[in-house]
Amino acid sequence: MDEARISEIVESVIRNINAKENKKQLGVFDTMSDALDAVNKAYKQFRSYSVEQREKMITEIRKLILDEAEEMARLGVEETGMGRVTDKTIKHQLVANKTPGTEDLCPRVYTGDDGMTLIEMAPFGVIGSITPSTNPSETVLCNSIGMIAGGNAVVFNPHPNACRVANYAVDLVNRGILAAGGPENLVVSVKKPTHESSNEMMNSPIVRMLVATGGPGVVRALLSSGKKAIGAGAGNPPVIVDDTADIAKAAADIVNGASFDNNLPCIAEKECFAFDNIADELIAGMIKAGAYLIKGEQIESLKKVCLIEKDGKYVINKKWVGRDASKFLKEIGIDADPKLIICETEEMHPFVQVEMMMPVLAIVRVKNIDEAIDMAVRAEHGNRHSAHIHSKNIDHLTRFARAVETTIFVKNAPSYAGIGAGGEGHTTFTIAGPTGEGLTSARSFTRQRRCVLVDGLHIV
Ligand code: NAD
């Protein structure tokens, strides 16, 4: 066979593979400019769809998420090496069951002597969304439901280390949309996201609003884009336990919250301030609930695994984010498989001050509530993201909430109650502290429009 024929065959095989992959991954494009063109077309079609049709699409998406939750959980752990399949499955189910749809768009009306004025929640248009590696598919799915409910289209630039599972979610959303008779490519992404594709997305005139879910770098980048932006940034949630709490329950709740998905959630308990007079009981309760206590030299050895010292400051060793507790212990010569590693430290220990996203929880003894609140507020670093407390003293609950000013504040429950898992209220995986939307939902992704009719439709 001559060379020309061979390269013809190779090209055709590559074309077929691409066609197959495109077929498998709806909405996922090779380049950002192709993704932007496609989503722009889709948004124009979507403008003529009714709210009822939006809701039908969302219903299909919810069904597919529930069917494929475990598959995405597995893929997420496999691709990123972070988190736990069982917990990630629960996170997907939470997205399917508790992300608000179109019912969240509550129009308002004023009527009076001068007639009637209507406030409606209108779409922004095409929204550009940047998603994290810690909840990759969950964020794509949750954003998609809320943004579609608001009448928008979305272009994602997922985290490069989690783009396979994020793009699986993009494909799933498109399958749901098509099954309900919606337009093609209402939600798009790129096969290999990069900083360049992210910049192209942010600067495109097609994109009318930006949403960033991630650490401080991405939130800063989006907020300086000159466009309407929602920033959901970093946290370092403290939890306080005082001597009025149900200590056994507090211990179990903290172990469950801090070990959930290996501490990846931005809302998870990341350091604990315990009253001195109950600290021993609390630690014993945590061990009973599945934690492993390390001491002395073991803490210093673990520090060398989790953190890297740079110019006198500690930063996380990214290799270790979201790994199983047993792997950390193995590294310091301990053979055990607990949910969480706990240790006692001083306030300024990096295990307290750095947002590690690892199943390692430092416990600091405090004399009283004043000291607990002061230390917890310092450890939260003004992120105003999440904070938690176990106490039956109303003054303590109120004082801490006032001092820490976080978007989420959970009392007497695991941290995940704050996003609707075992607590009232809807869920989200984009908690917008810096820009103030709080737990985002469909209405966060809309613009208010006012329509005024003078001297009419006022019927009383
Ligand atoms: P990350 O900041 O490394 O990445 C998030 C996304 O931003 C990725 O897609 C990344 O590629 C992109 N990115 C990073 N810097 C950028 C820049 N300068 N310009 C454009 N894009 C940029 O975060 P991660 O490690 O994937 O996630 C963990 C962090 O996200 C933690 O700090 C956690 O608290 C936070 N987080 C917050 C929320 C929330 O709702 N507030 C939710 C999940 C995670």
Side-chain angles (χ1 to χ4, degrees), residues 82 129-135 139 157-162 193-195 198-199 202 212-222 231-237 264-267 270 316 318 321 355 357 383 385-386 428-434 438 440:
M82 305 192 296
S129 175
I130 296 185
T131 54
S133 58
T134 47
N135 315 312
T139 309
N157 196 76
H159 196 293
N161 299 343
T194 58
H195 265 289
S198 164
N199 284 337
M202 284 197 260
T213 311
V218 63
V219 171
R220 217 174 304 118
L222 254 70
N236 191 37
L264 287 178
C266 51
I267 54 162
K270 290 193 165 55
I316 48 172
K318 288 201 170 166
V321 171
E355 186 201 26
M357 295 173 286
N383 292 318
H385 190 298
S386 298
T428 186
F429 281 80
T430 298
I431 299 152
T440 54

